[in-house]
Amino acid sequence: DWELNLEGSDFPGSVPGKTQELNDDTHPHLRLAETMVSVPRIEPGDQVYWHCDIVHAVEGEHKGKDDSSVLYIPAVPLSVKNAVYLRDQRINFVHGLPAPDFPGGEGESKFSGRATPHDITTRQGRQAMGFEPFVATGSGNAVLVEEANRLLFG
């Protein structure tokens, strides 16, 4: 039995850098058997989108004949905490490692032809990956942008 702490970012049973396992034993109040909804049949080329903060799951074992992929595409507001994460993620990206909040492993570090910072050619893309400073859009966010850039670039 635990209570949700709405004052912080901790979530019961979560450990940064590890997957979150939700099941009837650890989170009976979520009533997963009643509240999880399956995606209709997926055909090659189909796409399914969900918000990463929503309870979701993928197959525990891929039994198909062809590749099966899940891409994590984060979109977050600029904050000091997110700038710290972005700094660490940038380091991992350069080395081909999984994101800091994913389980470890060698990721794509030994892949030939994997993406590099040189493949990110737009200003927005380079900012999103922490390779180019953010630009303040007015006095309302100037202090935050300055702090984020300091964390990212020294």
Side-chain angles (χ1 to χ4, degrees), residues 51-64:
H51 193 282
C52 63
D53 287 340
I54 302 297
V55 174
H56 60 277
V58 295
E59 59 194 356
E61 178 184 352
H62 176 56
K63 297 179 181 177

Side-chain angles (χ1 to χ4, degrees), residues 5-50:
N5 175 4
L6 298 177
E7 301 303 316
S9 60
D10 292 339
F11 188 81
S14 293
V15 178
K18 304 291 182 191
T19 57
Q20 171 74 50
E21 181 68 33
L22 301 177
N23 59 54
D24 289 332
D25 291 332
T26 60
H27 297 81
H29 60 286
L30 293 178
R31 302 183 346 254
L32 295 172
E34 300 169 45
T35 58
M36 291 280 284
V37 177
S38 293
V39 173
R41 181 173 171 78
I42 305 295
E43 298 294 335
D46 287 351
Q47 299 179 40
V48 176
Y49 296 89
W50 67 85

Side-chain angles (χ1 to χ4, degrees), residues 1-135:
D1 288 332
W2 49 263
E3 292 184 23
L4 187 59
N5 175 4
L6 298 177
E7 301 303 316
S9 60
D10 292 339
F11 188 81
S14 293
V15 178
K18 304 291 182 191
T19 57
Q20 171 74 50
E21 181 68 33
L22 301 177
N23 59 54
D24 289 332
D25 291 332
T26 60
H27 297 81
H29 60 286
L30 293 178
R31 302 183 346 254
L32 295 172
E34 300 169 45
T35 58
M36 291 280 284
V37 177
S38 293
V39 173
R41 181 173 171 78
I42 305 295
E43 298 294 335
D46 287 351
Q47 299 179 40
V48 176
Y49 296 89
W50 67 85
H51 193 282
C52 63
D53 287 340
I54 302 297
V55 174
H56 60 277
V58 295
E59 59 194 356
E61 178 184 352
H62 176 56
K63 297 179 181 177
K65 299 178 297 195
D66 299 314
D67 290 341
S68 174
S69 298
V70 174
L71 301 177
Y72 173 66
I73 305 172
V76 298
L78 184 60
S79 69
V80 170
K81 185 173 184 174
N82 289 338
V84 169
Y85 176 90
L86 182 57
R87 178 196 61 207
D88 297 343
Q89 165 54 26
R90 177 182 60 198
I91 294 167
N92 285 24
F93 173 77
V94 167
H95 293 97
L97 300 172
D101 59 339
F102 274 59
E106 65 184 31
E108 297 180 354
S109 63
K110 296 182 180 174
F111 287 21
S112 63
R114 67 180 167 81
T116 70
H118 299 293
D119 295 312
I120 307 168
T121 58
T122 66
R123 177 181 57 83
Q124 295 91 343
R126 293 186 61 75
Q127 287 173 330
M129 292 296 289
F131 293 108
E132 189 167 314
F134 293 98
V135 177

